[in-house]
Amino acid sequence: MTSGTTRTTLPYLPVRTSSAAWLTGVLTMFEAEGLDVPALLRDAGFDAATLHRQNARIPVDQITRLWQLAVARAGKPTLGLQRQLAATHSNTGTVGHVMSCSPDLGRALAHLARYMAVISDATAFALQTDARGCWLTTAHTGGTLPIPRQRVEYAMLATLMLCQWLTRKEFDPLLVELADAAPADDTPQRAAFGCVLRFGAPANRMLIAHSDLRRPVPTYDAELAGMLEALLDKQLAQLGQTSTASRVRAEIARLLNQGEPRREVVAKGLGLAERTLQRRLQEEQVSYQALLDSTRHELAQQYLAEQRHSLADVSDLLGYVDSSNFHRACKRWFGVPPAQYRAQIGC
């Protein structure tokens, strides 16, 4: 940190976490790949007992360090990139159960989008309709470390295999787009996803055809789905994911790449009058400006950890018209300018 500069502590910056249940599934996959899991946990600084506590949550950077260590020790650039591994070892818990009670795959995926924070509030999962079907977009958020491509590819493949398990039908996406640059040999990726791949894309996403989205889920049970939804809604509330502040942060994040979103625009996106939004934020003792700043802070950590984004790109993605404002914000958040922060985290 530069002399005389103080890093700002923001009270509204959330700690992003994933469920220990999901991580336990990843660890069994590592074991199936021949890795010494107890040694991995020890060397990554994990208290293994934490994983067995009820409703335990693991910070996103801890999980990233574990993946980084696993990739390095495996010496395998395609760690986890096998359909059988992704089908056998992913653990979506109660979210997977409510998906299995859905009438069709499209509504099962809507359940996944709604309740993803229960699995991991460090993962943003979104659905976007396309003329050919629906894009399933996955992004890891809230971390300060570069995300290994293996972690992203495994999560996407696990989602595809979950879709096949739910419908009891084998099918492939129409298209998969990956943000990382193309590897020297993309044969393993093509074999895993079974479709055309595009690398260096703006986001990690896959396109599922309308005909596949309409596939029925044979275990559909509306009554059980209602019971599970109530349970998951309660878990979301316990995680702070139902507050107005959390909804505002999500809407700000969605709009930032179009420029700094005004409060009235965010209110409209949430289906609220601006005065209602202001009143609810006051009740939660948080200001719109603080949420805007903390959302930019969190996203800056994520974008600066991704080498594919230039500093100018990051400034644009955070909605800054003037890059000098972005530089000043970074010095306030991190104590150093963006280039120096990126160097510190090894990007």
Side-chain angles (χ1 to χ4, degrees), residues 235-259:
Q235 291 185 43
L236 283 180
Q238 291 171 341
L239 290 167
Q241 294 294 318
T242 58
S243 67
T244 300
S246 67
R247 295 175 64 207
V248 167
R249 285 177 55 82
E251 186 68 5
I252 288 172
R254 187 180 73 83
L255 296 171
L256 265 178
N257 63 356
Q258 304 168 35

Side-chain angles (χ1 to χ4, degrees), residues 16-281:
R16 301 290 186 178
T17 60
S18 295
S19 73
W22 170 259
L23 180 57
T24 299
V26 172
L27 293 175
T28 62
M29 181 274 287
F30 287 164
E31 190 172 44
E33 286 276 38
L35 289 163
D36 184 342
V37 169
L40 274 177
L41 290 170
R42 181 188 65 242
D43 296 342
F46 269 80
D47 175 4
T50 301
L51 298 175
H52 304 292
R53 293 174 188 155
Q54 188 175 13
N55 300 323
R57 307 284 298 186
I58 311 299
V60 58
D61 277 348
Q62 266 194 289
I63 295 173
T64 296
R65 281 193 292 271
L66 190 64
W67 267 96
Q68 290 173 334
L69 190 58
V71 170
R73 294 208 173 158
K76 185 177 182 181
T78 56
L79 181 67
L81 195 64
Q82 296 179 41
R83 287 195 171 197
Q84 186 58 39
L85 290 175
T88 304
H89 299 290
S90 62
N91 185 355
T92 54
T94 308
V95 177
H97 296 322
V98 77
M99 293 176 72
S100 70
C101 294
S102 305
D104 55 48
L105 181 59
R107 276 171 278 192
L109 289 169
H111 272 128
L112 180 59
R114 177 178 173 183
Y115 295 117
M116 174 55 76
V118 173
I119 301 172
S120 175
D121 63 7
T123 301
F125 180 79
L127 307 176
Q128 182 179 8
T129 302
D130 181 276
R132 298 161 291 177
C134 183
W135 284 104
L136 282 56
T137 303
T138 302
H140 292 86
T141 62
T144 64
L145 301 175
I147 302 293
R149 70 182 305 154
Q150 293 83 359
R151 181 180 175 191
V152 174
E153 291 173 356
Y154 177 76
M156 292 180 67
L157 184 59
T159 303
L160 174 61
M161 301 315 296
L162 176 60
C163 290
Q164 292 191 6
W165 176 79
L166 288 167
T167 59
R168 307 300 194 265
K169 298 289 183 180
E170 291 190 12
F171 64 90
D172 298 323
L174 297 175
L175 178 64
V176 166
E177 295 186 342
L178 297 167
D180 282 296
D185 178 11
D186 68 357
T187 303
Q189 283 83 2
R190 285 188 284 109
F193 290 104
C195 66
V196 175
L197 301 178
R198 291 178 184 164
F199 294 93
N204 296 298
R205 61 182 191 166
M206 59 183 169
L207 180 61
I208 304 296
H210 282 303
S211 57
D212 291 322
L213 294 169
R214 290 192 292 267
R215 291 183 185 274
V217 175
T219 50
Y220 169 53
D221 187 326
E223 183 177 356
L224 181 56
M227 295 170 58
L228 293 172
E229 286 172 0
L231 176 63
L232 289 166
D233 286 337
K234 183 177 179 180
Q235 291 185 43
L236 283 180
Q238 291 171 341
L239 290 167
Q241 294 294 318
T242 58
S243 67
T244 300
S246 67
R247 295 175 64 207
V248 167
R249 285 177 55 82
E251 186 68 5
I252 288 172
R254 187 180 73 83
L255 296 171
L256 265 178
N257 63 356
Q258 304 168 35
E260 181 176 313
R262 299 190 307 276
R263 187 173 59 191
E264 58 266 29
V265 174
V266 169
K268 183 177 180 181
L270 296 177
L272 299 173
E274 184 181 1
R275 291 183 65 181
T276 301
L277 174 62
Q278 185 174 4
R279 175 176 53 79
R280 291 185 181 178
L281 291 179

